[in-house]
């Protein structure tokens, strides 16, 4: 049995460099597998939350659409007290088309500013990370 020197077990001292490198390789593989499992589990949990949130947001959107349609009908009916019904519907419809067109143009401008949808900052850091890993392995 080997003696302890206060640093813990001396079993590491009895192993060859090849065995230590093999152990390190196995530990790195295990670490990567464990990290991948952890990431998959986290994505699964977040996926459930995203699904629930998307369902609630969809329901809220539908209710808001119905509410907006009701308000449009109320605007047409209120304007119909002053002008004929067909003119009231025409005025409200034209105003909605104008507002929709302006919103569409603003949205198009925002979308064109967001292209390409590649995480350029993260992608630019990958070569630096690989270089740092290579340098660490060479030491």
């Amino acid at each position: 049995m080997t003696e302890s020197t206060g640093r813990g077990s001396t079993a590491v001292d009895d192993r060859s460099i090849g065995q230590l490198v093999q152990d390190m390789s196995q530990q790195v593989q295990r670490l990567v597998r464990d990290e991948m499992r952890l990431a998959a589990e986290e994505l699964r949990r977040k996926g459930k939350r995203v699904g629930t949130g998307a369902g609630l947001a969809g329901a809220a959107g539908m209710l808001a659409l119905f509410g907006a349609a009701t308000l449009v009908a109320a605007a047409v009916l209120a304007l119909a007290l002053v002008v004929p019904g067909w003119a009231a519907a025409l005025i409200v419809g034209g105003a909605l088309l104008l507002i929709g067109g302006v919103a569409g143009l603003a949205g198009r401008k925002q979308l064109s500013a967001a292209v390409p949808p590649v995480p350029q900052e993260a992608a630019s850091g990958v070569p630096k990370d690989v270089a740092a890993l290579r340098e660490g392995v060479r030491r």
Side-chain angles (χ1 to χ4, degrees):
M1 184 162 189
T2 60
E3 233 177 82
S4 181
T5 61
R7 294 182 294 149
S9 174
T10 59
V12 172
D13 295 336
D14 296 339
R15 305 188 74 189
S16 71
I17 300 282
Q19 290 170 328
L20 293 174
V21 169
Q22 182 182 10
D23 286 351
M24 182 187 71
S25 174
Q26 290 172 351
Q27 290 173 358
V28 167
Q29 288 175 359
R30 188 176 327 124
L31 176 65
V32 169
R33 279 193 304 269
D34 290 347
E35 289 294 332
M36 293 299 288
R37 277 192 221 112
L38 179 63
E41 176 62 24
E42 183 179 352
L43 286 175
R44 188 187 63 76
R45 282 193 318 259
K46 286 185 177 184
K48 281 185 176 181
R49 287 186 179 153
V50 165
T52 302
L56 290 171
M62 287 300 296
L63 291 172
L65 178 66
F66 293 149
T70 301
L71 290 176
V72 167
V76 169
L77 291 173
L79 196 56
L81 296 174
V82 180
V83 296
W86 65 269
L90 190 63
I91 292 169
V92 171
L96 288 173
L97 286 175
L98 182 66
I99 293 169
V102 169
L105 289 175
R108 186 171 127 201
K109 182 178 177 184
Q110 290 293 320
L111 285 173
S112 66
V115 176
V118 176
Q120 293 172 336
E121 292 174 21
S124 69
V126 170
K128 294 176 189 174
D129 294 341
V130 170
L133 282 172
R134 285 184 181 160
E135 184 63 32
V137 169
R138 287 184 189 149
R139 291 184 190 181

